[in-house]
Amino acid sequence: MKSNWLCLAVFFLFCSSLNLNAQEGFKFEANVGVPLADSGDFYSFALQGNFYYSWQVSDKVYIGPTVGVIYLFEEDTTGAFDSLPAFYIPIAASGRVKLNTNWAAGFDLGYAIDGNLGTYFGSGFEEDSTGGIYLRPVIGYYFKEKLALIASYAHINQKHYKAASLSLGVNFWF
């Protein structure tokens, strides 16, 4: 796992040291969705928020780092602490390509830290599971230059567990 972190850190340093055409700035994204894969058996809905910083590499390509949080919730909880939501902290490299003036597609690739650190209070999950590889293909429709509707599939591949969600959200540029 240390080699994954080292590779990710080197990639971020490389991206930040490039002399790129223009700094595009900060973006925030909020998504709501349905859990899939193994997490679909335990949780009913997902919330995800991401912060990005992107640089324009060419007329149509943007790259940069992203960090966020993904919460997976159960639908039927009677009390505030009856159920522990799963949450992950994805740290990734982000790439987006403008397909035309309104459409863009992209991909986030990195590592998602298990916010519960594998402790699911008797659920039988691996105690040593601290996260997994994070993959997230994205497609977006831009209503305005700095406002987009985003559809995405987030997948976290842990040792013995796969967390995933299909989400719809909004992206704001600052």
Side-chain angles (χ1 to χ4, degrees):
M1 181 163 83
K2 289 182 182 178
S3 64
N4 289 343
W5 284 107
L6 181 61
C7 290
L8 193 58
V10 168
F11 179 77
F12 285 137
L13 288 174
F14 175 76
C15 288
S16 64
S17 67
L18 290 175
N19 185 14
L20 301 173
N21 294 339
Q23 290 188 358
E24 201 54 41
F26 285 101
K27 295 186 266 182
F28 174 73
E29 183 177 296
N31 298 289
V32 64
V34 294
L36 303 172
D38 295 336
S39 60
D41 295 338
F42 301 99
Y43 301 101
S44 301
F45 68 98
L47 295 176
Q48 181 172 5
N50 297 309
F51 284 100
Y52 296 89
Y53 191 88
S54 63
W55 293 278
Q56 185 176 4
V57 179
S58 71
D59 289 343
K60 297 184 179 196
V61 179
Y62 300 83
I63 64 168
T66 182
V67 65
V69 65
I70 300 172
Y71 279 95
L72 301 171
F73 293 96
E74 289 185 46
E75 185 174 309
D76 298 322
T77 57
T78 56
F81 298 103
D82 287 346
S83 173
L84 179 68
F87 77 98
Y88 296 92
I89 303 165
I91 302 169
S94 172
R96 301 291 185 266
V97 176
K98 286 178 112 179
L99 303 174
N100 60 32
T101 55
N102 292 86
W103 290 95
F107 199 80
D108 296 347
L109 176 62
Y111 191 82
I113 300 166
D114 186 339
N116 295 322
L117 298 176
T119 307
Y120 289 89
F121 297 111
S123 66
F125 293 124
E126 290 294 315
E127 293 295 324
D128 63 347
S129 180
T130 58
I133 301 298
Y134 172 72
L135 308 167
R136 184 172 175 253
V138 176
I139 189 156
Y141 180 80
Y142 288 84
F143 295 104
K144 296 183 177 185
E145 183 180 349
K146 296 186 176 193
L147 177 66
L149 180 66
I150 303 292
S152 67
Y153 171 77
H155 184 89
I156 301 165
N157 189 9
Q158 290 181 272
K159 188 174 182 180
H160 297 286
Y161 183 73
K162 312 279 186 280
S165 67
L166 187 60
S167 300
L168 190 62
V170 179
N171 185 304
F172 304 95
W173 292 31
F174 299 108

